[in-house]
Amino acid sequence: MEKRNNLKRTLLVALFACQCWGQPPGNCKPSSLNIPGAPFPCVYPDRRVAFRVMAPSAQKVQVRLAGTHDLTKSPDGLWTGTIPPQVIGFHYYTLSIDGAIVADPATRTYFGSGWHNSAVEIPEPDSDYYAAKDVPHGEVRQRWYLSKVTANWRRAYVYTPPEYDANSRTRYPVVYLLHGWGENEQGWHAQGHVDWIMDNLIASRKAKPMIIVMDNLNAAKPGEDASLYSARSIIARPSLADVPPPIGAPRTGTAPARSPFPTNWGATFTEMLLNDLIPMVERTYRVAPGRENRAMAGLSMGGMQSFLTVLGNMDKFAYLGGFSGSSGGRGGTFDPKTSNNGVFADAAAFNRKMKVLFLGIGSAEGPGTKTFSEALTSAGIKNVYFESPGTAHEWLTWRRCFHDFAPRLFR
Amino acid sequence: MEKRNNLKRTLLVALFACQCWGQPPGNCKPSSLNIPGAPFPCVYPDRRVAFRVMAPSAQKVQVRLAGTHDLTKSPDGLWTGTIPPQVIGFHYYTLSIDGAIVADPATRTYFGSGWHNSAVEIPEPDSDYYAAKDVPHGEVRQRWYLSKVTANWRRAYVYTPPEYDANSRTRYPVVYLLHGWGENEQGWHAQGHVDWIMDNLIASRKAKPMIIVMDNLNAAKPGEDASLYSARSIIARPSLADVPPPIGAPRTGTAPARSPFPTNWGATFTEMLLNDLIPMVERTYRVAPGRENRAMAGLSMGGMQSFLTVLGNMDKFAYLGGFSGSSGGRGGTFDPKTSNNGVFADAAAFNRKMKVLFLGIGSAEGPGTKTFSEALTSAGIKNVYFESPGTAHEWLTWRRCFHDFAPRLFR
């Protein structure tokens, strides 16, 4: 009897599934981030995006992507809708199903805002630099290590260049590369394709082979509050629009430009990096020694962390990059004489030590980073300003930043 | 004005969030698979599981885990409920929110049934063998390769043992290890903790250091139908209960025991494995040569694939394991003279070639595998039968299977 009911249900649902799974309209191409076989979300040539969600008894289904968009219900329980053209690149999004904020089951999930979101990729016409091509490929290695500072097991991902295993005597320079707020140590390879960017740069001899260590920005000692890094923040701030504007974004309204970060923010990560991560990496991998073989960079909050760590430890790093985030440790308005404990005060001395100081930003993020770059230049501090045309505080900006940054390293 | 509204909304939601995020009851422990900071789902000492879902306007919210369980709405828009004691181990689950089947945003997601499900871990009292311990750790390496057979880029994960980089002249034996239906190449390390199982076995000298290659069972040539592997199947079969019973599970009802697999199922994977994957692995890693250094195993559909591949290619493998799946290539009832193209017909010859033939199963999966093992024994075929006490067709069964299987290899 149970079996018969199951069969009946299977047949009914199978019938249903034919409509449910369906095919996208002819010129709407399934997003590359969809689960295997899923036709929706799909992207039109004009960059509109069509969604389809199965929610038979729901009263309201919305897509939350650059605003909130109502979907329309059809009698078969499917909700559909097409949203206006989106900017090229990788966009997190979520569904609201009768007020429940959830991932769309039709896409792979990506850790952002502290939990596993859905995402859609609007193809970039010139995406060749992060495509999987028939060139030698490096590896991204999952590396667990025990941190004494945070007293827990931590996971880093380590990119090793294509010839790493074959050249068993060669030592390589290292970039410590950080994700942004609410993301994790998987961001740079899962969302950013940093491995393919490096493989392609190395194959075309545009960048030196290097090791890239991607760790988790979240570091708290026992008893310290780690909620800054968790989804708790996003629950208190229902959309990214409520998060304080990214570094460099135009400020609007009259709210004070108060930092969301506690006074000693980032100190534990720096301590963990210097005492646990770097020693583990140099013990485990064939790393070239010394500050001139060590870079640090990151995006958004990870860029702030990189500025905080490197500018406070100039004896340990010779390269620094901030992608949509470069105000770490500055403490308010930039003043070349006093900011970051006066590290910029003697410009000539700074320029001798810092081989590349890189400030990247998306053009849609506002003038803050450019202003900072110009202030540095006025103070005699050499720096590279890179602007990603037409992109905002998103992964395409950061892929482009890294692609411009990496060839400048370890020359 | 917009800013003021945002502020107001933030304050309101922050107020709300205090209740929403909350804390679990004192003796209910957050599942280890939750996103950082999430208190629910949590597991009571008696293995009941409590859920909490934010769905302010929903009419019906259910948890789908070993049945379907209604949650109860409170005036604040939170839905809560506690479900009966669950079996120890790793369980996929989903939410139904007004009929929409989605992942619970409070957990990490795991690829199963062709998409990113939620999961909860009911702690096993004796879970030491797959715990992260202070022993030398190997790596799980992401390896992209271009397959000529399937004409696309494929991704494998490769476990290398702790001393792999240091012993740069040592060659290691290899296990090719497969996931089950609807899962992918990440299953064995994300759900199965195979890396920690191996690290612990190697540290205690219970298993030989070895390389483990975890590829994706899904292999289709251009034009071949890959839908067998995709979520399309699960949409036509709304719960795993509707999938044909796992190998070894008791059959009920009068439905014919028809295989869900097309006649030539698995042939493309075998061709890809032999022509693309194994050559790539042997070119890329320091692999010991020959069949006596090569094993293949898998769970469920991956076990079926392993039996199909190995029994059809006895010149290439000397070890074979099926975990809740061992009927591959058999074609109906087992007959030692004719099954698998007669490979078992000469028992002595078979036993000389096959160093370990391993059949594992969860005790809750029924007697089929034991019956098969006994039939093999009756036919003079040496085999190892392993039964995981109290577990079903789930990852804890397969962790235990691998933990018993690995020490037997390459002796």
Side-chain angles (χ1 to χ4, degrees), chain A residues 135-154:
Chain A
V135 299
H137 283 266
E139 290 178 319
V140 173
R141 305 176 175 196
Q142 178 181 266
R143 166 58 57 187
W144 289 96
Y145 67 102
L146 189 55
S147 163
K148 287 180 182 167
V149 170
T150 60
N152 63 359
W153 284 94
R154 292 177 57 89

Side-chain angles (χ1 to χ4, degrees), chain A residues 293-305:
Chain A
N293 289 304
R294 201 179 292 133
M296 186 171 178
L299 69 93
S300 193
M301 191 171 173
M304 293 172 61
Q305 178 71 63

Side-chain angles (χ1 to χ4, degrees), chain B residues 147-193:
Chain B
S147 163
K148 286 180 183 168
V149 170
T150 61
N152 63 358
W153 283 95
R154 294 178 56 91
R155 181 172 63 174
Y157 286 91
V158 179
Y159 170 85
T160 53
E163 80 271 44
Y164 184 84
D165 274 357
N167 301 346
S168 65
R169 291 177 175 280
T170 309
R171 292 184 168 271
Y172 296 88
V174 185
V175 190
Y176 292 86
L177 185 63
L178 289 174
H179 58 85
W181 177 81
E183 297 171 335
N184 71 12
E185 65 273 23
Q186 296 182 305
W188 268 106
H189 72 276
Q191 286 97 307
H193 299 311

Side-chain angles (χ1 to χ4, degrees), chain A residues 277-296:
Chain A
L277 181 60
I278 292 178
M280 179 282 286
V281 166
E282 304 204 339
R283 216 165 45 230
T284 311
Y285 300 94
R286 296 193 313 278
V287 168
R291 65 183 294 281
E292 303 215 349
N293 289 304
R294 201 179 292 133
M296 186 171 178

